[in-house]
Amino acid sequence: MRTPSRLAMAAGATAAILVAGVAFGVVGMARLVDPPSPTTTVTGADGEQVVLDWRDYPADPSVDPDDVLAAPRAEDVVDVGSAELAAMRRAFEPVAPGLAWSTPDAPDVLVTDVGGNGYGGASLHQVYNSQSVEGVGLDADADWHALGAAVDAELAALGYGPIAWDFDREPYPYETQEQRDEQMVAEFGSLDPDEMWQWSGMAERDSMWVWVTIWDERRPTTPDGAWPESESGVSLFVGGTVVSHDDEQAYVDGVARFDGLMRPEATGSD
């Protein structure tokens, strides 16, 4: 914000008007940057109207609270995720024997607070991100369809839905089919899954998800500067949105006040 000029400062009343106008502009800009939280007015059984402020919503609009409550608690999710990674790793062994398994990255903190709820208030959500587990050394003639089917079967046993592979997605609302196809070729090297250098996709269960990647840099569709450190392999990663045992009752009570209401779009990035 520019300060008033010396001429304006000498103008007395004119300067006062200028400063007032600038102050009003700053307040207006602040409202644009940090808009007020949305509210919803509901009528109780006794006919009394109550205004609910979404700043008090203990979740965020992108996740269904019922899904979060069906997921493991924050204190348990690391052990659950580790067991699921081990089960999926075993599922690959019959169709891709001899893979060298490792955990290339192991962050110190696997469960972190979300922070804001998108409405200017606090969320009780926490986010779990596992370490990735990689099996490298995939045979050049490996059957990727068999790999996908094997992990899909294990995911089904664990309660997850089927893997939604990126190359199968429909165009987003903002893109044409041609734009979608161009993006597929840029990322995977081809529109034919059997020619692609990489497959990636996600399976979901409640607010938990699993990310699966298969790659082989020996394929001719591999772009220059491809990211994997190893020539070929598979990668597994588990994540989810959870709440802690300590916060569970407050979460249940908090979302119950907003039960059945359409969640507004988030008003901020918090």
Side-chain angles (χ1 to χ4, degrees):
M1 182 180 70
R2 294 186 302 171
T3 58
S5 67
R6 292 181 182 273
L7 179 61
M9 291 291 287
T14 303
I17 293 172
L18 175 61
V19 173
V22 172
F24 179 81
V26 171
V27 172
M29 182 61 71
R31 289 183 178 274
L32 289 175
V33 173
D34 185 19
S37 55
T39 60
T40 301
T41 301
V42 298
T43 303
D46 58 0
E48 181 180 358
Q49 289 191 329
V50 177
V51 178
L52 298 177
D53 191 328
W54 286 86
R55 182 185 297 270
D56 300 325
Y57 189 58
D60 66 74
S62 64
V63 184
D64 190 322
D66 289 338
D67 287 344
V68 176
L69 291 169
R73 295 295 165 262
E75 296 87 347
D76 308 321
V77 71
V78 173
D79 289 341
V80 171
S82 296
E84 292 180 347
L85 286 168
M88 287 183 282
R89 171 179 163 174
R90 289 192 297 271
F92 278 120
E93 292 175 358
V95 289
L99 293 178
W101 290 94
S102 64
T103 55
D105 62 320
D108 294 333
V109 180
L110 299 179
V111 183
T112 56
D113 291 335
V114 169
N117 65 355
Y119 303 123
S123 170
L124 293 178
H125 287 166
Q126 298 183 51
V127 174
Y128 164 60
N129 287 296
S130 78
Q131 73 273 29
S132 64
V133 175
E134 288 187 0
V136 301
L138 197 63
D139 290 342
D141 60 352
D143 185 341
W144 289 20
H145 295 279
L147 291 170
V151 72
D152 248 339
E154 184 58 40
L155 285 167
L158 295 171
Y160 286 89
I163 299 170
W165 296 105
D166 279 357
F167 59 75
D168 276 337
R169 74 167 178 84
E170 295 296 322
Y172 295 125
Y174 56 80
E175 67 179 351
T176 64
Q177 183 69 46
E178 182 180 6
Q179 290 171 327
R180 178 265 183 202
D181 291 349
E182 288 177 355
Q183 194 271 330
M184 291 295 103
V185 172
E187 185 171 356
F188 304 120
S190 174
L191 293 179
D192 181 355
D194 291 325
E195 300 295 328
M196 292 177 178
W197 79 276
Q198 178 190 185
W199 288 5
S200 60
M202 183 173 67
E204 297 179 275
R205 181 194 67 215
D206 303 318
S207 62
M208 298 288 292
W209 50 268
V210 171
W211 191 262
V212 181
T213 305
I214 307 171
W215 75 92
D216 191 334
E217 291 185 338
R218 293 167 296 191
R219 292 192 170 188
T221 55
T222 303
D224 293 336
W227 56 263
E229 295 182 2
S230 54
E231 186 177 59
S232 63
V234 300
S235 177
L236 301 167
F237 188 89
V238 179
T241 301
V242 297
V243 293
S244 70
H245 287 293
D246 290 343
D247 290 336
E248 180 176 352
Q249 193 57 54
Y251 185 77
V252 170
D253 295 341
V255 298
R257 299 178 58 209
F258 298 85
D259 187 40
L261 300 178
M262 181 176 294
R263 293 190 288 274
E265 292 292 328
T267 56
S269 60
D270 61 349

